[in-house]
Amino acid sequence: MKILVVDDDMVQLESLRRGLRSKGYQVLEALSAEDALNRFTHSHTNEIDLVLSDYLMPGMNGIELLKKIREDHGSLPVILMTAYGEKDLIIEALHNRCNSFIEKPFTLEQLMQEIERVTK
Amino acid sequence: MKSSNPVTAHDSSENSRFGGAPRRNPGLKDFLRFRFFSGEDSTGMLGTPNPHQLTSWLFSEHKDAEEQIRESKSMIQAVFDGISDPLLLLDRDFSITILLNRAAAKYYGVHEPGEVIGKRCYEALMGRTEPCEKCPYPLVILNGRGGTFERKGLMDPARFEKVIIYPTEIGVVICIKDITKAKLMERQLIHNQKLSSLGLLVSGIVHEIKNLNNCITFNIPILTEYLKELIPIIDDYVESHSDFELFGMSYPEFREDIFNLLGNLEHASGRINDTVSGLGGFGRRNDGGKQRWVELKQVVEKAVAICRCQGKRIVKSFEVDMAENLPPIFIDPEPLEQVLVNLLIKAAQATDKEDTWIRLKVKQPDTLRDHVLIEVSDNGCGMDEETQGKVFEPFFSTKTPRRGSGLGLFVSHNLIEELGGRIEVESKPSKGSTFRVILNDANQGPTKSRYFSSF
């Protein structure tokens, strides 16, 4: 399974890459939402099975990226990560058919459970 | 004059040539007059009345004028008295020359306003021998320009006043307006703005800490897995090198310590998260209408998490005693949380002993089963009765201005009243204080009166 991980923080990105690879996933990386959208244009959509994106990033945020993915790539599974456990944010994400919302800090085990749940 | 014959009249009203008596005094009848002509036109007249009649006329004119002055003075007094703000009319030398209104008499505690008229304001009203300090009055007289200034209440320093000075031709009018309410609102607004900025700042810091903490939380299990893969290889190596040591430890000790260290890191990361999660909602503005069923335990735990850091540094013992099976209450939890934070911080600031403690107790009183009682007690400096009486008043503070706005307990009191409860204090100097928040049956659900009163 190929996961596109989007986070503006290099250290977070590296941690996620390491963790997910250790569980046998292929990982594509993007340092911004715009960068993630470029990934889509330069690769076939069906190459990516899931998007794991941070919410707060400079430029386009995670929900804006989610909306764009819904417009262009239909029901591709998206998991948003956030350090803000704000209800309003979760509701907005769910309105835009976000598959899952995971609050930081989380463990690899918790992330795996969410990935398995949304890709079942 | 035309004929050089003066005209005399004994009854001017009957003499058409004379032109009648002066309109304002028909009693003046005996006259000697000269008329002046220019050509055929009468241009003027010079005359004198009978001296006796003149004296009596002048006397009556004087009486009229006095009466008129009295009337207008009492009319001005009535207008002044009708104004609810204290007003004074002072002469150039500080004398209360003309009047002070009823509100001013009440303000200065003057029982007989007549007695202070003519006396200097600072003598008659303030019992001083010289003008009050910083009195701007001489400057107003010198410049001839009025103005306004704000001050702490002259008679009651807990209040705020705006003094307006208007110079007029006959003296200077001084008006004293009580602006305590406006000042209070202004301060509360600033206080709320500060809280809301603090809330923004805190939520930014919480976000940053959680993000960074995620690296620790996420990577520790991975690192543990890595080590679990690696350890059997080292185990094999040690089997053939029995004297293997690292950092002065035998291998079995070292092996155990690695996982201890990882366990400590994991624990610390969890604690960081618990602490900052409790701060997440702090400082958010309360816009009302957020009543819902709330478990009191959660509200108390949140407030305790916010204060624990500060409290722990100051007090030796911090106990939380929550009764089992407390019923959920129907309330907006945020103001209650803010009040608890205020009370806990206040308790921590009151400490003055080596062996300090704060106790937070939550229970249902035996006699009032539909009420919930939250008690915050400390063994700090305590308060005398006079201080206890003022403790919920706005701007009342025993602390230095940098440490206290004097609004914390006032705000708490208002918040609890808005929640339909009440707050009380019991204290003894040098023994400590207990603040009690009592949430009554209005918080027992939307079927009660409070729900209906909102329609």
Side-chain angles (χ1 to χ4, degrees):
Chain A
M1 188 192 278
K2 199 177 265 181
I3 299 177
L4 173 61
V5 183
V6 192
D7 201 313
D8 60 305
D9 186 332
M10 272 299 271
V11 182
Q12 302 275 353
L13 206 56
E14 196 189 302
S15 299
L16 291 164
R17 183 216 306 137
R18 189 187 298 114
L20 290 169
R21 281 193 181 157
S22 75
K23 296 290 175 188
Y25 293 103
Q26 279 184 278
V27 178
L28 289 174
E29 292 162 41
L31 274 164
S32 67
E34 292 82 353
D35 192 12
L37 292 171
N38 277 336
R39 285 269 173 181
F40 278 108
T41 41
H42 290 109
S43 60
H44 297 292
T45 304
N46 56 12
E47 277 185 12
I48 296 166
D49 301 299
L50 183 134
V51 176
L52 174 65
S53 172
D54 190 23
Y55 163 69
L56 196 67
M57 293 180 286
M60 200 186 264
N61 69 29
I63 289 185
E64 286 162 336
L65 173 65
L66 170 70
K67 286 180 186 170
K68 203 85 185 108
I69 290 173
R70 289 286 165 263
E71 277 171 25
D72 302 341
H73 309 287
S75 58
L76 178 69
V78 175
I79 299 176
L80 284 182
M81 304 175 284
T82 179
Y84 286 108
E86 292 282 350
K87 263 183 237 130
D88 297 348
L89 202 68
I90 298 172
I91 290 167
E92 195 188 351
L94 293 176
H95 272 255
N96 287 287
R97 293 186 286 141
C98 179
N99 301 76
S100 178
F101 212 95
I102 188 161
E103 196 182 338
K104 291 180 189 176
F106 52 82
T107 61
L108 180 58
E109 201 179 321
Q110 288 163 335
L111 180 61
M112 294 296 301
Q113 281 171 7
E114 284 310 300
I115 292 173
E116 277 164 27
R117 198 174 62 77
V118 303
T119 53
K120 240 180 200 173
Chain B
M1 285 298 264
K2 199 178 173 187
S3 59
S4 303
N5 289 327
V7 178
T8 58
H10 292 294
D11 187 349
S12 56
S13 58
E14 286 172 5
N15 192 327
S16 60
R17 285 176 61 208
F18 189 74
R23 246 175 294 160
R24 287 182 55 200
N25 195 326
L28 284 181
K29 291 179 178 171
D30 298 338
F31 270 91
L32 171 63
R33 288 192 186 189
F34 296 96
R35 296 183 76 183
F36 301 98
F37 287 90
S38 169
E40 289 297 319
D41 300 326
S42 170
T43 55
M45 186 183 283
L46 177 66
T48 176
N50 177 317
H52 296 295
Q53 287 177 359
L54 182 64
T55 312
S56 112
W57 178 59
L58 286 176
F59 183 69
S60 73
E61 281 287 292
H62 180 69
K63 294 272 275 183
D64 282 354
E66 266 188 350
E67 186 58 37
Q68 273 179 1
I69 288 170
R70 247 197 309 279
E71 268 176 27
S72 39
K73 207 174 163 186
S74 66
M75 201 166 81
I76 292 172
Q77 183 73 51
V79 171
F80 262 47
D81 281 344
I83 295 168
S84 58
D85 293 323
L87 275 176
L88 292 118
L89 187 51
L90 296 190
D91 201 351
R92 301 178 74 85
D93 65 350
F94 295 89
S95 299
I96 309 162
T97 38
I98 305 170
L99 47 83
L100 78 171
N101 70 348
R102 208 172 285 155
K106 193 177 165 201
Y107 176 87
Y108 286 106
V110 174
H111 300 297
E112 279 299 325
E115 284 179 9
V116 298
I117 301 294
K119 290 182 181 162
R120 296 219 157 90
C121 57
Y122 51 85
E123 288 168 348
L125 305 176
M126 304 303 294
R128 296 173 66 101
T129 51
E130 52 193 43
C132 304
E133 268 172 59
K134 296 180 186 168
C135 177
Y137 196 70
L139 203 66
V140 171
I141 297 296
L142 194 71
N143 293 338
R145 282 202 304 269
T148 61
F149 66 93
E150 289 178 11
R151 67 179 182 197
K152 277 200 165 188
L154 197 63
M155 311 308 282
D156 178 1
R159 307 198 74 78
F160 284 91
E161 291 169 351
K162 184 179 193 176
V163 182
I164 304 154
I165 303 174
Y166 313 99
T168 68
E169 278 178 22
I170 50 167
V172 176
V173 179
I174 296 176
C175 174
I176 303 164
K177 281 186 177 295
D178 188 326
I179 53 162
T180 310
K181 214 170 173 181
K183 270 272 171 209
L184 190 68
M185 283 172 73
E186 189 183 308
R187 283 205 181 180
Q188 254 186 295
L189 199 67
I190 294 168
H191 186 73
N192 288 349
Q193 278 168 348
K194 273 189 189 168
L195 269 186
S196 127
S197 318
L198 183 67
L200 275 180
L201 182 74
V202 168
S203 95
I205 294 171
V206 167
H207 177 259
E208 200 55 25
I209 293 176
K210 277 184 163 184
N211 239 333
L212 295 173
N213 196 34
N214 194 44
C215 268
I216 306 172
T217 311
F218 191 82
N219 285 323
I220 287 173
I222 299 172
L223 185 57
T224 311
E225 290 298 310
Y226 279 14
L227 284 167
K228 279 181 183 166
E229 289 291 311
L230 185 68
I231 288 289
I233 301 166
I234 306 173
D235 287 351
D236 285 348
Y237 174 82
V238 172
E239 244 176 56
S240 55
H241 298 80
S242 55
D243 58 343
F244 183 72
E245 273 191 8
L246 272 169
F247 298 100
M249 284 180 265
S250 67
Y251 176 66
E253 269 181 286
F254 177 76
R255 193 178 189 276
E256 198 185 327
D257 208 32
I258 289 179
F259 292 103
N260 279 344
L261 288 174
L262 285 170
N264 289 349
L265 287 175
E266 199 166 18
H267 174 75
S269 156
R271 285 292 307 278
I272 290 172
N273 197 45
D274 288 348
T275 309
V276 296
S277 293
L279 289 171
F282 181 70
R284 240 176 266 151
R285 209 175 65 83
N286 168 34
D287 50 10
K290 286 186 183 168
Q291 285 167 282
R292 54 188 159 91
W293 287 106
V294 176
E295 290 294 339
L296 209 47
K297 195 167 180 236
Q298 287 171 0
V299 183
V300 171
E301 277 173 359
K302 224 168 171 188
V304 168
I306 291 168
C307 302
R308 201 176 273 278
C309 308
Q310 191 180 359
K312 261 194 175 174
R313 271 203 308 273
I314 305 171
V315 290
K316 269 198 171 166
S317 155
F318 182 28
E319 291 171 24
V320 181
D321 174 13
M322 289 211 51
E324 293 295 320
N325 305 323
L326 284 168
I329 53 172
F330 191 73
I331 206 167
D332 179 357
E334 286 187 20
L336 180 61
E337 191 183 306
Q338 194 182 336
V339 170
L340 294 183
V341 169
N342 274 347
L343 294 182
L344 289 171
I345 290 175
K346 205 144 281 294
Q349 287 172 341
T351 54
D352 64 345
K353 300 176 181 68
E354 283 277 302
D355 186 24
T356 51
W357 51 256
I358 295 177
R359 282 174 201 148
L360 174 69
K361 199 183 269 185
V362 188
K363 62 177 183 182
Q364 281 185 290
D366 297 333
T367 47
L368 298 161
R369 297 303 294 176
D370 51 358
H371 287 54
V372 175
L373 174 71
I374 307 173
E375 268 185 9
V376 178
S377 313
D378 65 72
N379 67 338
C381 55
M383 292 173 268
D384 58 25
E385 271 187 26
E386 195 190 338
T387 309
Q388 283 177 57
K390 289 182 179 173
V391 86
F392 296 114
E393 282 180 14
F395 308 120
F396 178 77
S397 178
T398 53
K399 298 192 287 279
T400 55
R402 284 181 69 119
R403 284 193 75 193
S405 63
L407 283 171
L409 285 173
F410 169 71
V411 170
S412 299
H413 184 265
N414 286 359
L415 288 175
I416 291 296
E417 277 197 344
E418 278 171 28
L419 292 175
R422 64 177 199 275
I423 184 166
E424 297 170 354
V425 62
E426 191 185 317
S427 184
K428 276 191 178 148
S430 77
K431 297 273 182 205
S433 308
T434 298
F435 283 89
R436 282 190 196 93
V437 173
I438 299 134
L439 298 170
N440 59 29
D441 58 356
N443 301 108
Q444 293 302 308
T447 53
K448 293 284 163 65
S449 57
R450 188 160 179 239
Y451 180 75
F452 290 109
S453 68
S454 65
F455 284 94

